[in-house]
Amino acid sequence: MPGTYTHKFDTPAYKGEATIHTGLFIGGKWVDPIEGGTIDYNWAASFIRLDFAINPPASILAYKTVWGLHYPGAGRGKLLNKLADLIEKNIDEFAALEALDVGKVFAKAKVIDIGGAITCLRYYAGWADKVQGKTIETTENKLAYTRHEPYGVVGQIVPWNFPMGMVSWKIGPALATGNTVVLKPSEITPLTALKLADLINEAGFPPGVVNIVNGYGHTVGQAISEHPQIHKVAFTGSTLTGRKILKASAETNLKVVTLELGGKSPLVVFDDADIDQAVKWASHGIFFNMGQACTAGSRIFLQEGIYDAFLEKFTAIAHDLAAKTGDPFTPGTQHGPQVSQIQFDRIMSYIDSGKSDGAKVHAGGERHGSEGFFVKPTIFTDCHPDMKITKEEIFGPVAAVIKFKTEEEVIDLANNTEYGLACHVFSQNVNRAIRVAHALEAGSAWVNCAQFTDIAVPFGGYKQSGIGRELGEYALDTYTQVKAVHINIGTNL
């Protein structure tokens, strides 16, 4: 029987205890891994346990007997709504765990991460009984129609930067459409996913509908990608890992794969933009979540007429955030630490690279304080397209600022990347704003705002930023397969 981990919170923002099971959640029960070993405070899964999660009596058995098309959509929606209600009832505890695990500011974790997860689950609860095919007219001698059927067992691998948010983006549409789930949270930030498992039982989901297995990507993630009984995998993370998942699919059972990968998103500000609003949104676009967001507007293109005025205001916000950097549970904190030593070191190495390549540190460019994984909000100027800091995803609070003259020039500069996850355009000229948003090669285009997603609007990337779409009605298509049914009602041979 696996143990538990209890954390006592005694902070200005939250006081209380949170207890987490440290095993694997399979078939509605907590089980030990076959092989021992720990990753910090959570147990690593083995392929043997993963196989148990997928094969009877867990995921497949649940799908074939008590879930999928055996459980009406209205009932699936009711369970998703109940799960959302239970999370809302425990929202402070979930926010505290997210802040502890990731380093998010508690107040922001409560509203954005946990609040967003609740909204997402309720959204897909509403879709659960509206997954429909269509009747197709052919001839009077045939009745033809389509059914949108679940895949069965789906594997889901979520990242460390938005643990609960990404869990809800994955399990919401998967469960609404009748699939069973084998979910792997990040080994860096598993706490809220493990806490969620207890609420899944409390909500009344049949055993085996949701299974949560811990471990490293190269073991558990690889096993999910290769397992012959998993017919669909959804992954959010790096482009490098996305390639490995596609390769594993190709070499095994050709499972369907959706990927939400990296980004190096451009943020374009024209002379006619509302500068005050553009500065505020641009700051949110790069410094939100300490820069640890795949859609971060990390390449900031400023038209020469507003360059100086924008940079002055942008720098003031960066300095203000630096002054409000600290403990995520302390009131007034606006900027927390990076998630880990590895991520901190990675960001600092990119800052060093920017300096050595000739970019100018306009703000920040160093760690904050002498302890912890805090990085000052950083602004580089005198940047060029061939620098590492303008080409590669840093995943930290580091902005590369580039001056431009014309619309045509900035479109070419912005599209000069292997990524295509998002873009941002600021202009009061609606014709130009729409024209440029259409010209930029990205799956999401935000006009006069930044990193402003909505549960009802699809999300995904162009180029090497991914395959498929999450969120909105579009996500339902990625968790169903279309069956065409032909019924002969009059043709005789």
Side-chain angles (χ1 to χ4, degrees):
M1 182 71 181
T4 59
Y5 166 73
T6 298
H7 189 87
K8 296 181 179 180
F9 292 92
D10 186 15
T11 73
Y14 178 72
K15 298 182 186 297
E17 291 187 357
T19 298
I20 306 295
H21 286 91
T22 56
L24 312 177
F25 184 70
I26 297 175
K29 299 178 180 179
W30 291 100
V31 300
D32 285 318
I34 295 297
E35 300 171 2
T38 61
I39 305 173
D40 292 334
Y41 39 72
N42 66 291
W43 288 86
S46 67
F47 188 90
I48 298 173
R49 278 299 189 195
L50 180 66
D51 201 63
F52 179 73
I54 298 165
N55 288 323
S59 291
I60 288 180
L61 183 61
Y63 176 70
K64 290 184 175 181
T65 59
V66 297
W67 200 246
L69 302 181
H70 303 281
Y71 204 102
R76 299 195 298 269
K78 184 177 180 180
L79 291 179
L80 282 168
N81 267 323
K82 189 171 183 180
L83 181 60
D85 290 344
L86 289 170
I87 297 170
E88 188 171 50
K89 181 180 177 181
N90 297 275
I91 190 169
D92 285 338
E93 181 180 359
F94 272 89
L97 288 171
E98 204 81 322
L100 175 71
D101 225 5
V102 189
K104 296 173 181 286
V105 174
F106 173 82
K108 295 182 179 181
K110 181 176 179 178
V111 174
I112 298 171
D113 295 77
I114 312 305
I118 294 167
T119 301
C120 182
L121 293 176
R122 287 177 175 156
Y123 175 83
Y124 284 108
W127 272 111
D129 60 353
K130 301 173 186 66
V131 179
Q132 303 169 345
K134 63 176 67 173
T135 301
I136 302 170
E137 182 179 349
T138 56
T139 72
E140 288 298 309
N141 292 330
K142 176 186 283 190
L143 170 63
Y145 61 91
T146 59
R147 286 162 54 90
H148 289 234
E149 300 180 348
Y151 283 100
V153 182
V154 300
Q156 302 183 314
I157 305 171
V158 298
W160 50 257
N161 57 333
F162 295 101
M164 268 297 285
M166 293 299 99
V167 167
S168 69
W169 285 25
K170 297 289 190 293
I171 69 171
L175 297 177
T177 51
N179 297 280
T180 57
V181 169
V182 177
L183 174 76
K184 177 202 164 318
S186 169
E187 67 274 12
I188 300 174
T189 56
L191 295 183
T192 47
L194 296 175
K195 187 66 181 178
L196 182 68
D198 290 327
L199 299 190
I200 287 170
N201 275 346
E202 187 176 347
F205 284 88
V209 171
V210 179
N211 306 274
I212 300 175
V213 289
N214 305 311
Y216 291 114
H218 66 270
T219 52
V220 179
Q222 183 175 349
I224 288 174
S225 302
E226 295 177 347
H227 204 286
Q229 297 288 357
I230 290 180
H231 299 292
K232 189 277 170 53
V233 169
F235 168 76
T236 297
S238 71
T239 300
L240 177 63
T241 302
R243 288 195 184 98
K244 292 179 180 179
I245 292 172
L246 279 177
K247 182 179 179 182
S249 170
E251 293 178 345
T252 53
N253 62 339
L254 288 176
K255 56 178 62 66
V256 175
V257 176
T258 55
L259 304 171
E260 194 266 282
L261 306 175
K264 192 67 179 175
S265 301
L267 188 145
V268 179
V269 185
F270 286 98
D271 286 344
D272 62 355
D274 181 329
I275 294 182
D276 289 337
Q277 282 297 305
V279 167
K280 291 176 182 178
W281 279 110
S283 300
H284 173 75
I286 182 58
F287 300 135
F288 169 62
N289 204 43
M290 290 68 72
Q292 297 166 145
C294 51
T295 53
S298 54
R299 293 184 297 145
I300 299 179
F301 296 94
L302 304 179
Q303 198 162 21
E304 54 188 6
I306 51 90
Y307 183 89
D308 292 335
F310 182 100
L311 194 58
E312 180 182 359
K313 294 175 182 289
F314 187 45
T315 303
I317 290 181
H319 288 323
D320 184 61
L321 281 175
K324 295 176 180 177
T325 297
D327 186 343
F329 291 95
T330 298
T333 296
Q334 293 294 320
H335 190 80
Q338 309 307 134
V339 72
S340 66
Q341 181 74 59
I342 291 175
Q343 189 62 19
F344 172 84
D345 291 342
R346 172 185 171 88
I347 294 166
M348 295 308 298
S349 72
Y350 273 106
I351 289 174
D352 291 341
S353 172
K355 295 174 181 177
S356 63
D357 285 346
K360 178 183 177 182
V361 176
H362 190 79
E366 59 187 358
R367 75 179 301 163
H368 178 90
S370 58
E371 297 180 344
F373 308 139
F374 298 95
V375 177
K376 288 184 178 181
T378 297
I379 301 170
F380 276 105
T381 57
D382 296 342
C383 299
H384 301 289
D386 57 348
M387 293 179 175
K388 283 182 65 175
I389 59 170
T390 58
K391 291 195 303 181
E392 299 181 12
E393 185 176 39
I394 299 173
F395 228 60
V398 181
V401 178
I402 300 172
K403 186 185 296 186
F404 73 93
K405 292 184 178 180
T406 68
E407 178 181 318
E408 294 75 17
E409 175 193 10
V410 78
I411 289 173
D412 287 341
L413 288 170
N415 285 336
N416 183 25
T417 174
E418 64 187 27
Y419 296 111
L421 190 57
C423 63
H424 318 77
V425 180
F426 290 84
S427 172
Q428 294 298 97
N429 182 330
V430 66
N431 291 335
R432 174 157 64 184
I434 293 174
R435 184 171 61 244
V436 174
H438 289 182
L440 297 181
E441 299 163 353
S444 292
W446 284 299
V447 176
N448 294 326
C449 57
Q451 297 206 92
F452 198 32
T453 56
D454 191 287
I455 297 299
V457 181
F459 179 85
Y462 284 14
K463 302 180 184 177
Q464 294 186 43
S465 286
I467 300 170
R469 291 296 179 267
E470 296 189 297
L471 297 183
E473 183 180 359
Y474 286 79
L476 302 174
D477 294 337
T478 71
Y479 285 99
T480 56
Q481 46 197 342
V482 178
K483 175 181 287 182
V485 181
H486 305 255
I487 299 177
N488 182 2
I489 55 176
T491 301
N492 296 319
L493 296 180

